């Protein structure tokens, strides 16, 4: 009898210890923001209810070649990229402090059409008379971020920002990075973030590549630039994404698009000089540089079909099973 009682006390003590550890872990995750939200829960208190497509459209509609662009210093670039890393690691309070020092805001947004929740990181000067043009970031709050979709030329490659929203919505674990100015807004090519390493956009993309996150970058071409094709697919300066590139090209063809695969033949606009692709290649991280025709970027069914094809890749990057 005494032995049974002793054994029962031991089991009860063990259960109490386990419960205590679980409580401590839950508290730590809550304090650091390291736990990703349960998709079935309602939006957190204070979450801004938005339509992400309209939000991004309103943001990029202000872009133009005559709108100002301020070239960031290295401290700004490094500080913002470091803060994005802190967000990904679950240290939201520290990230907010660092971003506030750089005049960036952080808020939780609930995208009504998709039901998804994101962390929005935005330049507070966006609505100023002279915006700096340093961009925005949207990070999936419901799944661990594992990949990025990059939009370097919003307002110039028309419609790529909306394709970016579609891609983000289409697969879990995504991060959307949207450049903050028209490609020709700055002095010379200073706002052409796809070909400059001294931008906030590049600093963020480089931080994600350093963490091993694959990325897909969206561009647009004029119909006259490649009249025989709907899509030009490339792995940029590297080859790490060659398997994904082949899969994407096959998926796009299955959806009825004419694709020029830059690893098979010479294509226009191959993106070999793209600096985000060069950094990804250095870090041996998959990177896809994809150019779309005006028809696809105009929206509607062509955009949906293209997004469905891309989702076959981004879902794999997210570690999710592909749809039948």
């Amino acid at each position: 009898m005494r032995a049974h009682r002793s054994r029962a006390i031991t089991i009860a003590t063990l259960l109490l210890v386990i419960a205590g550890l679980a409580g401590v872990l839950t508290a730590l995750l809550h304090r650091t923001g390291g736990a990703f939200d349960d998709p079935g829960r309602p939006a957190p208190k204070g979450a801004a209810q938005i339509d992400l497509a309209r939000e991004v459209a309103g943001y990029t509609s202000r872009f133009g070649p005559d709108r100002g662009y301020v070239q960031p210093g290295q401290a700004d670039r490094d500080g913002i990229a470091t803060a994005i890393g802190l967000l990904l690691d679950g240290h939201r309070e520290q990230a907010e402090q660092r971003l506030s020092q750089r005049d960036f805001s952080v808020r939780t947004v609930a995208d009504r059409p998709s039901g998804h929740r994101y962390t929005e990181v935005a330049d507070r000067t966006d609505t100023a008379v002279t915006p700096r043009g340093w961009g925005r970031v949207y990070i999936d709050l419901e799944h661990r971020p594992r990949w990025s979709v990059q939009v370097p030329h919003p307002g110039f490659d028309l419609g790529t920002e909306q394709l970016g929203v579609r891609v983000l919505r289409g697969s879990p674990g995504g991060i959307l990075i949207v450049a903050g100015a028209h490609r020709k807004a700055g002095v010379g090519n200073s706002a052409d973030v796809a070909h400059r390493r001294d931008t906030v956009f590049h600093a963020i993309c480089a931080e994600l590549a350093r963490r091993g996150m694959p990325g897909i970058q969206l561009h647009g071409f004029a119909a006259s630039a490649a009249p025989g094709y709907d899509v030009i697919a490339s792995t940029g300066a590297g080859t790490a994404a060659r398997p994904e590139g082949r899969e994407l090209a096959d998926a796009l063809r299955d959806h009825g698009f004419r694709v020029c695969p830059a690893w098979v033949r010479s294509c226009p606009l191959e993106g070999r000089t793209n600096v985000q692709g060069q950094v990804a290649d250095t870090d041996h991280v998959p990177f896809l540089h994809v150019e779309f025709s005006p028809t696809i970027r105009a929206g509607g069914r062509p955009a949906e079909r293209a997004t469905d094809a891309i989702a076959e890749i981004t879902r794999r990057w997210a570690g999710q099973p592909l749809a039948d």
Side-chain angles (χ1 to χ4, degrees):
M1 179 71 71
R2 190 174 299 166
H4 286 299
R5 186 179 304 155
S6 177
R7 192 177 301 116
I9 292 172
T10 301
I11 292 173
T13 302
L14 180 60
L15 289 174
L16 286 172
V17 170
I18 292 172
L21 289 173
V24 171
L25 179 59
T26 300
L28 285 172
L29 287 173
H30 178 74
R31 184 163 62 247
T32 62
F36 292 91
D37 291 339
D38 175 2
R41 281 166 38 192
K45 289 183 178 179
Q49 300 287 328
I50 67 168
D51 178 327
L52 184 57
R54 290 185 179 182
E55 185 78 16
V56 171
Y59 171 53
T60 59
S61 68
R62 300 190 292 270
F63 294 179
D66 57 343
R67 291 278 285 177
Y69 173 75
V70 177
Q71 191 166 340
Q74 184 171 345
D76 290 316
R77 302 193 305 268
D78 292 347
I80 293 166
T82 298
I84 295 296
L86 287 170
L87 278 174
L88 298 180
D89 291 335
H91 304 301
R92 178 160 175 157
E93 185 175 342
Q94 294 178 41
E96 287 181 347
Q97 290 175 352
R98 286 176 177 258
L99 287 165
S100 181
Q101 292 169 1
R102 305 295 171 185
D103 213 8
F104 267 72
S105 64
V106 181
R107 66 171 180 162
T108 298
V109 297
D111 179 35
R112 289 189 301 269
S114 68
H116 298 158
R117 296 186 294 277
Y118 302 97
T119 298
E120 177 194 81
V121 179
D123 185 347
R124 288 194 182 114
T125 74
D126 286 343
T127 57
V129 176
T130 55
R132 297 180 302 187
W134 290 359
R136 283 193 184 184
V137 180
Y138 291 91
I139 304 171
D140 187 346
L141 258 180
E142 299 171 352
H143 306 86
R144 187 167 299 282
R146 297 185 183 277
W147 57 275
S148 73
V149 52
Q150 306 164 12
V151 182
H153 297 145
F156 183 83
D157 289 350
L158 293 175
T160 51
E161 58 274 12
Q162 289 303 311
L163 275 180
V165 171
R166 288 176 181 268
V167 171
L168 180 67
R169 284 171 168 171
S171 299
I175 303 172
L176 171 63
I177 307 106
V178 182
H182 188 279
R183 182 176 184 173
K184 296 186 179 296
V187 177
N189 75 333
S190 61
D192 182 2
V193 299
H195 298 98
R196 298 283 298 227
R197 294 174 181 262
D198 55 354
T199 68
V200 170
F201 180 92
H202 179 73
I204 294 170
C205 292
E207 172 65 19
L208 301 185
R210 185 186 69 79
R211 291 167 171 266
M213 288 190 186
I216 180 167
Q217 192 169 110
L218 310 181
H219 293 261
F221 64 88
S224 59
Y229 297 104
D230 302 302
V231 184
I232 301 166
S234 169
T235 57
T239 60
R242 189 69 58 84
E244 290 95 332
R246 294 193 186 98
E247 291 174 16
L248 177 60
D250 289 343
L252 287 164
R253 291 191 191 98
D254 289 345
H255 282 82
F257 297 115
R258 300 165 298 169
V259 183
C260 186
W263 54 88
V264 174
R265 61 178 64 93
S266 177
C267 302
L269 305 169
E270 294 180 346
R272 307 290 186 193
T273 60
N274 181 284
V275 294
Q276 288 79 51
Q278 291 172 354
V279 167
D281 179 48
T282 300
D283 290 326
H284 308 291
V285 174
F287 174 86
L288 291 170
H289 179 283
V290 190
E291 298 266 357
F292 295 95
S293 69
T295 300
I296 295 174
R297 290 181 282 117
R301 279 295 298 152
E304 289 178 13
R305 285 163 31 223
T307 304
D308 288 344
I310 293 171
E312 296 191 26
I313 307 305
T314 53
R315 283 186 175 276
R316 191 184 307 280
W317 283 343
Q320 295 290 315
L322 301 181
D324 293 333

